[in-house]
Amino acid sequence: MPSSRRNSLRKKSPIRSVDYMGMVWVIAEAEKRGFSPSDPEWCNFGKGQPETEKMECGPERIHSVNVDSSDFGYGPVNGTLEMRQAVADHYNRLYRTGKKPYTAENVAIAQGGRLMLSRLFRVLQGRMGYQTPDYAGYQELFDSAHRDLEPVHIPTEEDTSFAVTPERFGEVAQDLDSFMCSNPCNPTGHVIEGSDLSSYCQTARSTDCLLVMDEFYSHFIYKDSENGVDCGGVSAAQHVVDPNTDPVLVIDGMTKSFRYPGWRLAWALGPPEIIKSIGCAGSALDGGPSTVSQRMALKALDADYMQLETRALRDTFIQKRNLMHSRLTSMGFRCMPCSATFYMWCCLDGLPAPLNTCMGFFNAALEKKIIVGPGKFFDINPGGKRTGVSAFNGWIRLSFGPCVENISAGLDRMEELLRDHGALCKLPLSVPKMVGKRLLPNVRSTVSLSSEVEADVEPDTEEETINDSNSDEDCLEIESNFY
């Protein structure tokens, strides 16, 4: 048959249609409106990465590494022995004092978190539970998983901070082969810790349900930092009895807590049998991580370097969290407390249409050069089997990952957006003030994230004190004195 005839009979393209995933779609839509990461006019509250420059009181950023001649060739598919042992030592130092330690055999390395999860999904089978809302990237992982993996939806409620309680997990685990969630949770900022996390691990042991904890935000923990105590991170590794047999798998990496997303380096920590299977999947999917990236990561895992970085990270991000939470609540948003991560999970139900739906707010915000994360993208729905309006259609995720100047500018524009749509917009009784590039020191330790958040900064004049009787015009006039 002539080639022209064959082409005319072809009904399908040889390339199947693949949409951008979740937040990548958000950025693609913003780019249609002129967004560029290097354009300071844009405020990217949809950003899933923390600021990556040196922080005040933090260590110097790692700019170079000596490359060995062995790095010119392929490296081991599950990572170099040196890197794997360094990750094991990191967890032993933070979470395993007096307990059976992890070793290199408990660690797998991959070129990024999504790739590590892709390896894992390549080997999982049976009934796998998941909660909503959760990390948007899980959607594609489930959709492309092997047919032997059956997703099982475990819904959550706002009164439990959109988390599966330990009691509920104890019930559902009886009928699951595995369960996965992000902890701390992206997008809600909730963290399962202490006795609750211990109960999760105990349930995993007693039911033989593999517990997969995606812990990329494990160092963004603010609870103890508020009281001036330097807390450690949160990890299920602390509650594992035997690293070689407990059905607990921890996923983490350099992207968030270490603030090196460009290195694309992640690890899995768990029983050697699972680690070996992940390596076998990697031999088919990717062939192994960069040895150069691993050499860079060894520096970041140095105990002294990591301690300085984590302290600076919490000091910086807790101030940005307090600033964002205070101003958002003053605008009428209902925000989750955010005890971890660098995200605010905000309810829109008090706003006028079209701002009271995630896509309505998203599109309106783009006109102000603001990018937000629509809540529906965190409603994981494998195969689109659940129909109707998303349970999170009235929620958005806002990131305080960008620098504080950009956050402040974006919040100013958000107030303009609300005012343009007739929403009541008032400033809080006292507002965190900027001094150069930093917030006043007392903001860090005195802001409590209750339903009525106020920074402990006294107004300079009576005119700066705002009460419920202020009109929108009054708000606008007083606002100019603050920002």
Side-chain angles (χ1 to χ4, degrees):
M1 181 182 295
S3 60
S4 59
R5 173 65 172 163
R6 289 197 302 271
N7 290 337
S8 66
L9 293 177
R10 179 176 290 166
K11 295 181 179 181
K12 292 183 178 180
S13 167
I15 306 299
R16 70 183 181 93
S17 177
V18 179
D19 294 328
Y20 282 121
M21 180 203 74
M23 298 309 298
V24 180
W25 179 90
V26 165
I27 299 302
E29 289 298 301
E31 288 174 344
K32 295 177 183 178
R33 313 286 185 96
F35 168 71
S36 169
S38 60
D39 187 349
E41 290 299 311
W42 280 83
C43 300
N44 187 1
F45 290 155
K47 195 172 188 176
Q49 81 170 30
E51 55 180 297
T52 57
E53 299 300 319
K54 180 183 181 299
M55 294 182 295
E56 185 176 338
C57 299
E60 293 296 327
R61 303 302 277 161
I62 299 170
H63 291 278
S64 62
V65 65
N66 291 325
V67 177
D68 189 84
S69 59
S70 62
D71 297 323
F72 301 153
Y74 290 125
V77 69
N78 248 355
T80 64
L81 184 61
E82 186 179 13
M83 178 64 188
R84 295 169 68 185
Q85 187 59 53
V87 171
D89 292 343
H90 168 74
Y91 282 87
N92 292 336
R93 182 171 60 250
L94 291 181
Y95 308 113
R96 305 294 298 171
T97 301
K99 302 175 182 178
K100 185 175 181 178
Y102 284 101
T103 69
E105 289 189 345
N106 298 109
V107 180
I109 310 294
Q111 203 70 42
R114 292 179 189 175
L115 183 55
M116 180 59 79
L117 289 169
S118 296
R119 286 187 179 193
L120 176 62
F121 271 68
R122 186 70 175 259
V123 301
L124 287 171
Q125 63 181 359
R127 291 169 55 82
M128 184 177 200
Y130 69 95
Q131 67 181 23
T132 54
D134 214 331
Y135 171 48
Y138 296 157
Q139 176 77 44
E140 179 60 26
L141 289 167
F142 275 118
D143 286 345
S144 59
H146 193 273
R147 61 180 179 274
D148 288 340
L149 183 66
E150 178 187 353
V152 179
H153 180 220
I154 313 297
T156 63
E157 302 291 340
E158 184 178 353
D159 60 5
T160 61
S161 299
F162 295 110
V164 177
T165 65
E167 295 77 17
R168 179 63 175 149
F169 180 59
E171 296 170 359
V172 300
Q174 305 290 335
D175 194 36
L176 296 175
D177 297 293
S178 61
F179 177 84
M180 177 179 66
C181 67
S182 60
N183 187 53
C185 182
N186 169 13
T188 66
H190 177 72
V191 58
I192 303 167
E193 58 184 330
S195 60
D196 286 350
L197 187 53
S198 177
S199 176
Y200 260 73
C201 294
Q202 173 57 40
T203 294
R205 283 190 294 271
S206 63
T207 62
D208 200 28
C209 173
L210 175 63
L211 178 62
V212 181
M213 299 300 271
D214 180 347
E215 297 183 350
F216 268 88
Y217 300 89
S218 59
H219 291 192
F220 289 88
I221 307 297
Y222 305 124
K223 181 179 179 181
D224 291 336
S225 298
E226 292 174 353
N227 302 319
V229 179
D230 183 29
C231 67
V234 168
S235 177
Q238 182 176 359
H239 306 285
V240 166
V241 174
D242 189 335
N244 294 330
T245 59
D246 280 23
V248 177
L249 189 70
V250 170
I251 311 289
D252 202 346
M254 288 282 143
T255 305
K256 312 294 184 181
S257 294
F258 295 85
R259 301 189 306 117
Y260 289 109
W263 291 0
R264 309 302 300 167
L265 205 67
W267 53 77
L269 185 79
E273 182 181 358
I274 298 177
I275 296 302
K276 181 180 179 181
S277 294
I278 289 174
C280 291
S283 68
L285 287 174
D286 58 272
S290 162
T291 55
V292 177
S293 291
Q294 291 176 80
R295 287 198 183 277
M296 300 281 279
L298 289 172
K299 291 186 175 184
L301 284 168
D302 174 79
D304 293 336
Y305 182 94
M306 189 218 68
Q307 186 175 42
L308 288 173
E309 170 68 15
T310 302
R311 287 177 178 173
L313 177 149
R314 289 176 181 150
D315 179 70
T316 298
F317 277 79
I318 198 171
Q319 294 183 63
K320 295 194 295 181
R321 180 202 66 169
N322 292 347
L323 169 66
M324 179 173 276
H325 193 282
S326 177
R327 291 195 59 185
L328 287 173
T329 52
S330 77
M331 296 181 210
F333 291 95
R334 187 173 82 251
C335 305
M336 296 295 291
C338 184
S339 53
T341 75
F342 48 82
Y343 303 120
M344 287 287 170
W345 186 234
C346 306
C347 186
L348 306 173
D349 61 6
L351 302 181
L355 303 184
N356 58 350
T357 67
C358 62
M359 293 309 299
F361 196 100
F362 169 73
N363 287 309
L366 287 180
E367 298 299 322
K368 293 288 186 181
K369 294 189 174 182
I370 304 169
I371 304 174
V372 304
K376 71 174 189 176
F377 288 124
F378 305 95
D379 191 2
I380 313 306
N381 187 11
K385 293 182 179 180
R386 298 196 313 276
T387 59
V389 177
S390 167
F392 309 109
N393 188 52
W395 292 79
I396 56 172
R397 188 195 75 175
L398 300 177
S399 167
F400 50 94
C403 66
V404 71
E405 295 88 350
N406 190 256
I407 292 173
S408 295
L411 293 171
D412 289 345
R413 289 189 209 163
M414 196 168 288
E415 287 186 347
E416 294 175 6
L417 174 65
L418 296 179
R419 191 174 291 111
D420 289 349
H421 286 78
L424 183 64
C425 179
K426 298 180 181 179
L427 293 178
L429 293 178
S430 52
V431 180
K433 303 178 184 179
M434 298 298 301
V435 178
K437 294 186 177 181
R438 307 293 294 172
L439 297 176
L440 287 177
N442 60 341
V443 174
R444 175 171 63 254
S445 59
T446 57
V447 176
S448 62
L449 293 184
S450 62
S451 59
E452 298 179 357
V453 179
E454 297 180 0
D456 190 20
V457 181
E458 294 298 325
D460 290 337
T461 66
E462 292 182 3
E463 287 76 18
E464 292 179 359
T465 301
I466 304 172
N467 56 46
D468 288 341
S469 65
N470 288 123
S471 66
D472 288 348
E473 289 77 14
D474 293 331
C475 287
L476 182 60
E477 180 179 354
I478 298 172
E479 185 178 16
S480 65
N481 294 327
F482 278 98
Y483 304 109

